[in-house]
């Protein structure tokens, strides 16, 4: 097999003190003894019906279970009714005076994005005359009690995480027909995934460090994200870096881990997120941060072994990671130090990973502090 074959899988299971070989070879051990067909059966049993065809699902898709093991942190009955209407044709984002003349609290101006649980609109908040992003629960879920709990919990958890690198929530409300929504800051930027390949290594690492700041804060509040990936990180035109989409977030409090259900993005998932009993914790987010770093270095997500979500789920269950292209690593990370940081963060056993986001972040910062010396060497 050609040494530069970047589809050659490795299993990421290094010793905590063993640096990664920049050529991509690491010590390997099986990640699980669970039979793979049984793993898939357990996963399919938890997925929403629309996502159960893993062959037809893209590996970058955020998969969500039928229901979360969550309890609402706020009462749906306490959410106040607000009127949400579509704006007249031709109304622009800057025409706040027209918005104030409409009998609505929010006027939707256009579609920003859509997901399995909710749809995000660009909207005008009439009371303050400002543009916001308004996420509204999809009609197919608006009368389902569990979906309502999940949607409200997402809003409340995100609203409690007041940090410069986490999108701020302005208000939670419901339309007259009972459909839940929440408004948040409208970020004028683009997903990190759109620019990650064109940015320099230093630029990408600085964005990653900002993401670490957000996650260290969230972890201190007892919240884990479970779906960190470049698509869920927004970069603005003035240096803003914001972690988005907390729809899979769990509040674990002071606990080290909690049993959840299958959920996440197959191309990035840690083995414990795939293998029952799906016991996840802060260490799972550390794996995802390492997976993002691995993608910065290799140019792709760690589990792209095939084209479907099913292939990536099976790879993630065994912690099989595509081998990096040797020439690319030599050019980007000749010492192999950064690759070693990524591989350690993605160790199969959570005990072999960094003990905290701050420790992972410190390792990246240490690399940056002596990078010039490494280049000279």
């Amino acid at each position: 097999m050609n040494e530069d074959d970047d589809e050659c899988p490795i299993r990421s299971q290094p010793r905590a003190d063993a640096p990664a070989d920049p050529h991509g070879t690491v010590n390997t051990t099986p990640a699980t003894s669970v039979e793979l067909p049984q793993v898939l059966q357990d996963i399919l049993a938890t997925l929403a019906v629309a996502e159960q065809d893993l062959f037809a699902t893209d590996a970058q898709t955020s998969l969500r279970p039928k229901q979360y093991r969550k309890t609402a942190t706020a009462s749906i009955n306490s959410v106040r009714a607000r009127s949400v209407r579509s704006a007249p044709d031709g109304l622009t984002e800057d025409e706040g005076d027209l918005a104030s003349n409409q009998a609505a609290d929010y006027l939707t101006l256009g579609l920003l994005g859509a997901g399995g649980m909710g749809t995000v609109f660009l909207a005008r908040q009439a009371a303050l005359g400002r543009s916001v992003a308004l996420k509204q629960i999809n009609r197919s879920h608006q009368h389902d009690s569990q979906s309502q709990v999940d949607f409200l919990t997402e809003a409340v958890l995100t609203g409690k995480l007041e940090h410069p690198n986490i999108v701020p929530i302005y208000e939670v409300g419901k339309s007259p027909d009972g459909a839940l929504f929440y408004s948040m800051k409208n970020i004028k930027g683009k997903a990190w995934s759109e620019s990650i390949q064109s940015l320099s290594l230093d630029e990408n690492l600085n964005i990653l460090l900002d993401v670490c700041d957000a996650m260290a804060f969230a972890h201190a509040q007892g919240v884990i994200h479970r779906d960190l990936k470049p698509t869920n990180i927004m970069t603005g035109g003035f240096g803003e870096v914001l972690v988005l989409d907390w729809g899979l977030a769990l509040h674990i409090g002071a606990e080290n881990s909690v049993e959840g259900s299958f959920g996440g993005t197959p191309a990035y998932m840690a083995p414990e997120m795939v293998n029952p009993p799906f016991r996840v914790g802060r260490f799972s987010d550390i794996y995802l941060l390492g997976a993002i770093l691995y993608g910065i270095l290799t140019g792709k997500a760690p589990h792209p072994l095939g084209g479907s979500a099913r292939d990536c789920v099976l790879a993630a269950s065994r912690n099989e990671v595509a081998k990096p292209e040797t020439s690319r690593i030599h050019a980007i990370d000749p010492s192999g130090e950064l690759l070693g940081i990524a591989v350690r963060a993605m160790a199969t056993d959570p005990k072999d990973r960094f003990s905290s986001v701050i420790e992972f972040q410190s390792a990246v910062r240490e690399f940056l502090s002596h990078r010039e010396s490494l280049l000279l060497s």
Side-chain angles (χ1 to χ4, degrees):
M1 182 174 289
N2 189 315
E3 183 177 321
D4 285 345
D5 183 0
D6 50 66
E7 291 301 319
C8 173
I10 59 176
R11 289 191 179 98
S12 177
Q13 178 59 39
R15 300 189 315 273
D17 59 347
D21 185 332
H23 294 271
T25 57
V26 298
N27 297 331
T28 61
T29 59
T32 178
S33 59
V34 178
E35 291 294 327
L36 294 182
Q38 184 60 49
V39 168
L40 286 176
Q41 290 174 25
D42 291 335
I43 289 170
L44 291 175
T46 69
L47 281 177
V49 174
E51 298 172 343
Q52 289 184 357
D53 186 357
L54 294 178
F55 278 113
T57 303
D58 187 88
Q60 299 281 350
T61 301
S62 296
L63 300 178
R64 285 165 165 72
K66 292 178 183 176
Q67 58 181 235
Y68 304 101
R69 292 191 58 184
K70 293 180 179 178
T71 55
T73 50
S75 170
I76 294 174
N77 294 329
S78 68
V79 178
R80 295 184 179 182
R82 293 285 187 266
S83 54
V84 180
R85 295 174 57 184
S86 298
D89 291 340
L91 182 67
T92 67
E93 188 178 348
D94 298 322
E95 295 173 316
D97 55 331
L98 293 180
S100 63
N101 292 330
Q102 304 295 322
D105 296 296
Y106 292 93
L107 290 174
T108 58
L109 300 169
L111 180 68
L112 293 177
M117 178 67 69
T119 303
V120 182
F121 298 94
L122 174 65
R124 193 75 178 176
Q125 185 179 10
L128 295 177
R130 63 179 176 183
S131 59
V132 300
L134 187 142
K135 184 170 184 178
Q136 193 166 29
I137 192 169
N138 289 337
R139 292 189 179 276
S140 58
H141 296 289
Q142 73 177 69
H143 298 300
D144 177 71
S145 58
Q146 183 62 50
S147 296
Q148 290 177 333
V149 168
D150 297 340
F151 188 87
L152 181 59
T153 303
E154 175 186 344
V156 173
L157 279 180
T158 310
K160 288 183 176 180
L161 298 176
E162 297 184 17
H163 187 274
N165 297 118
I166 298 175
V167 61
I169 302 295
Y170 295 146
E171 181 183 34
V172 179
K174 59 183 176 183
S175 59
D177 63 354
L180 291 169
F181 72 86
Y182 61 85
S183 61
M184 54 188 164
K185 181 179 180 179
N186 178 37
I187 307 157
K188 296 184 178 179
K190 58 185 177 181
W192 187 17
S193 55
E194 296 178 28
S195 60
I196 192 168
Q197 295 304 320
S198 61
L199 297 175
S200 69
L201 177 62
D202 282 4
E203 288 172 325
N204 278 323
L205 292 182
N206 284 327
I207 292 173
L208 180 61
L209 291 175
D210 284 344
V211 175
C212 287
D213 283 338
M215 295 317 305
F217 176 79
H219 286 186
Q221 308 304 309
V223 176
I224 60 173
H225 190 285
R226 290 204 298 167
D227 199 21
L228 293 169
K229 57 181 177 179
T231 306
N232 285 342
I233 296 159
M234 185 71 73
T235 58
F238 297 96
E240 309 99 312
V241 175
L242 290 160
V243 179
L244 308 178
D245 198 348
W246 294 78
L248 282 173
L250 289 175
H251 188 274
I252 65 172
E255 299 297 322
N256 292 325
S257 62
V258 65
E259 283 189 16
S261 54
F262 177 87
T265 300
Y268 289 88
M269 294 174 80
E272 68 272 9
M273 300 171 70
V274 177
N275 298 315
F278 311 116
R279 180 162 284 278
V280 294
R282 294 172 180 84
F283 49 80
S284 303
D285 281 346
I286 292 170
Y287 183 102
L288 296 175
L289 291 170
I292 294 173
L293 176 57
Y294 193 88
I296 291 172
L297 298 173
T298 65
K300 57 192 171 186
H303 307 307
L305 308 179
S308 69
R310 181 185 185 278
D311 295 324
C312 289
V313 165
L314 295 181
S317 73
R318 297 174 294 210
N319 205 21
E320 288 183 348
V321 179
K323 183 178 178 180
E325 185 180 345
T326 305
S327 58
R328 180 182 173 102
I329 295 299
H330 272 312
I332 296 178
D333 182 31
S335 70
E337 182 178 349
L338 273 180
L339 184 61
I341 293 171
V343 170
R344 178 180 169 188
M346 293 191 297
T348 301
D349 188 342
K351 294 178 182 177
D352 291 330
R353 300 174 196 167
F354 293 94
S355 62
S356 67
V357 172
I358 292 175
E359 186 183 8
F360 170 83
Q361 185 183 46
S362 296
V364 176
R365 282 185 171 145
E366 184 177 350
F367 166 82
L368 286 171
S369 69
H370 60 248
R371 185 181 180 216
E372 290 188 9
S373 298
L374 289 174
L375 290 175
L376 287 174
S377 299

